[in-house]
Amino acid sequence: MIALLTGATAFTEHRPPPRPRLPDGPLGWAGYDAARRRAAARTGEEESVVYGTGSVGGRACVLLSFEFGFLGGSLGAPTGDRLTAAYELALTRRLPLLALVATGGSRMQEGMVALTQLQRVAAASVRLRAAGIPQIAVVRDPTTGGGWATVGAGADVVLALPGAQIGFAGSRVRPPDADPYAYSAEGQFAAGQVDAVVPPGELARAVAHWLHALGPHEALPPAPVPRALPPAGEPPRTEAADADTVEAAVTKPADAATEGTADTEPANAGTEGAAGAKPANAGTEGAAGAGSTPRLPATGREAVARARDPRRPRAEAYLADYFPVRLPLHGDRSGGTDPGLLTGFGLRADGRPVAYVAQCGTPTRPAGYRAAARTIRLADRLGVPVLTLVDTPGAANDAEAERAGAGAAIADAFAAIAAARVPVTTLVIGEGGSGGALALASPDNTHVTADSYFSVIAPELAAAILKRAPSETGATADQLRLRPQDLVELRIARSIVT
């Protein structure tokens, strides 16, 4: 598996200091030593984990790989030694940790001694996390038990091979009527526990992109404000980024200058491809692009109508224009997903990474806010700037959303933005509906397009709260001062991006 990712690049294996071993292990389990000898003869390995340093797509990293043929890839005390040594190596050298996981869980022949290795691994992972070092897991078939609950699910980014069996409960300890789909890579993706299902032939490239995006990085500048896009059917204002130039930057060694990113990738390979275009503006404040400046709405009701126009570009178009490569993060890690909110990391045409959170014009659900908070906190820990695209009529307000913790999820998104040490850039591209939109907006670096509005609440709801007739909705929209130019005058937005 290591060779699949590193190719012809050398992999240097490391080993932890040897420790004394009791005959047949800590429990004196009869036949354990003999089983270990047979496993070693069959696999050519001394333990169920191999670790060392290598390079994927020109990006140096620490790799650890489970050998399932060695006692089912199980975790015993010697495995714990190797796992914690791998984390410590990544910490010492400040290299990302890439784990290739295939394990049945804890080793029965070592009993509780084996189980406590999970605590050792968790502690090592926490130390790496605190140091701002990224962790990526590629989960293979099978990945179950404590190995999934620590090395796998505990990683910052989780990629899975198609058809892999993944779950805390292994096949022999599940309820007899359990749905097998729930324990598959595809089922875990649907539940928001896996970020992408990646075919083996596309894995090396996807991992290389992720290593490039996650760093570690030195101080990165704020995310440039996206240019405003013309309505559907109008030609773009600038030419597309050169894919060959973009690809060259991703395959450069980590210490080389970043020149670009990579070209398009299939979405199921952990990379959302987009033939990007060079932005018209390069700074953190809105700048005029090529072409004529769009007319601003004359009234509040016109601003609302323009934001709700189905011809207006949505988040997908803005992200495609902004990033030649997108690397999606999927799900809130609590069993939920929101198709109306896109999150992940992207690589710009100059090679710099930016994390993104983008509303797609629908009411944002609790899982969406939790996914947004997850993305913002990961970017903050890794020193990657954040771009948010605001476009929602408001947070989902149905009974299911309340049961799913809408208030707590929105509060968590507010807190993630407020606590971020990295710069957050926001562009309101459509509807800015109340706190459901504000939760994802930068307090001091928000910009708006000419086809957007931002309001304390949607005009229809404001009229209802004020006990006004529906016929007064337009007048209410005018009174709310929600037009782009009003937002700049009120110092809610820094600029109108054209």
Side-chain angles (χ1 to χ4, degrees):
M1 188 65 181
I2 291 176
L4 176 65
L5 296 180
T6 61
T9 306
F11 168 74
T12 304
E13 184 177 354
H14 290 240
R15 287 183 172 83
R19 68 152 68 191
R21 286 186 46 80
L22 296 171
D24 282 329
L27 307 186
W29 190 287
Y32 179 36
D33 283 350
R36 287 181 58 88
R37 288 192 293 270
R38 289 193 298 271
R42 182 169 58 252
T43 63
E45 303 294 348
E46 300 173 359
E47 230 333 305
S48 61
V49 164
V50 174
Y51 77 97
T53 54
S55 178
V56 180
R59 313 300 294 185
C61 61
V62 171
L63 296 100
L64 69 86
S65 180
F66 283 75
E67 172 52 71
F68 190 77
F70 193 102
L71 301 180
S74 58
L75 281 75
T79 325
D81 291 343
R82 291 181 173 228
L83 290 172
T84 55
Y87 283 86
E88 185 63 29
L89 181 62
L91 181 62
T92 301
R93 299 199 180 184
R94 291 198 60 79
L95 292 174
L97 180 79
L98 174 60
L100 313 175
V101 190
T103 174
S106 298
R107 191 168 296 171
M108 297 298 100
Q109 296 92 330
E110 294 189 21
M112 278 300 297
V113 173
L115 190 65
T116 58
Q117 303 310 306
L118 304 183
Q119 293 174 319
R120 295 180 66 196
V121 173
S125 177
V126 166
R127 289 191 294 272
L128 206 57
R129 191 181 302 270
I133 307 298
Q135 302 172 48
I136 302 171
V138 176
V139 289
R140 301 141 59 202
D141 185 37
T143 297
T144 61
W148 164 238
T150 51
V151 184
D156 298 316
V157 176
V158 180
L159 309 177
L161 294 183
Q165 178 189 174
I166 303 168
F168 185 64
S171 59
R172 298 182 182 181
V173 296
R174 299 171 194 158
D177 59 347
D179 177 10
Y181 180 74
Y183 304 87
S184 68
E186 292 73 15
Q188 294 285 7
F189 176 80
Q193 308 292 355
V194 164
D195 292 305
V197 178
V198 188
E202 299 167 7
L203 186 61
R205 198 174 191 190
V207 168
H209 287 165
W210 271 115
L211 290 171
H212 185 84
L214 299 183
H217 301 287
E218 298 303 323
L220 293 172
V225 180
R227 62 175 184 166
L229 297 182
E234 292 188 15
R237 298 189 180 103
T238 57
E239 63 183 16
D242 182 80
D244 292 334
T245 302
V246 169
E247 181 68 29
V250 176
T251 56
K252 283 187 177 182
D255 58 352
T258 54
E259 299 284 343
T261 57
D263 58 2
T264 58
E265 286 274 8
N268 67 349
T271 304
E272 294 178 354
K278 295 176 182 177
N281 54 299
T284 58
E285 296 190 35
S292 60
T293 301
R295 181 183 62 82
L296 295 175
T299 63
R301 65 193 80 187
E302 182 189 348
V304 173
R306 285 173 61 170
R308 293 175 178 174
D309 190 328
R311 296 169 297 177
R312 172 182 59 78
R314 263 53 179 184
E316 183 63 42
Y318 274 93
L319 293 174
D321 188 67
Y322 194 79
F323 293 116
V325 158
R326 297 206 308 276
L327 304 162
L329 291 171
H330 183 71
D332 64 357
R333 291 298 186 267
S334 297
T337 62
D338 180 359
L341 187 110
L342 305 175
T343 66
F345 283 62
L347 298 173
R348 298 274 288 150
D350 63 359
R352 290 174 178 162
V354 173
Y356 64 85
V357 173
Q359 292 172 314
C360 298
T362 58
T364 302
R365 307 204 64 79
Y369 290 111
R370 286 191 289 266
R374 172 199 169 203
T375 301
I376 293 164
R377 290 193 173 106
L378 175 59
D380 188 53
R381 178 158 53 81
L382 301 179
V384 177
V386 176
L387 170 70
T388 66
L389 300 180
V390 169
D391 185 10
T392 180
N397 59 4
D398 54 86
E400 181 183 350
E402 290 298 333
R403 285 192 293 267
I410 295 168
D412 197 34
F414 269 117
I417 292 279
R421 296 159 296 179
V422 296
V424 179
T425 302
T426 296
L427 180 62
V428 184
I429 62 172
E431 293 195 75
S434 195
L438 190 67
L440 299 181
S442 170
D444 57 6
N445 193 22
T446 288
H447 307 259
V448 292
T449 66
D451 294 327
S452 69
Y453 78 85
F454 217 148
S455 177
V456 63
I457 200 168
E460 296 86 351
L461 301 180
I465 290 170
L466 294 170
K467 300 181 180 180
R468 294 178 175 179
S471 60
E472 296 185 64
T473 295
T476 303
D478 294 340
Q479 285 182 288
L480 287 170
R481 297 199 64 192
L482 47 71
R483 301 174 303 165
Q485 58 268 45
D486 295 325
L487 298 169
V488 172
E489 185 176 338
L490 292 168
R491 299 182 182 273
I492 304 301
R494 293 181 66 176
S495 75
I496 301 171
V497 179
T498 58

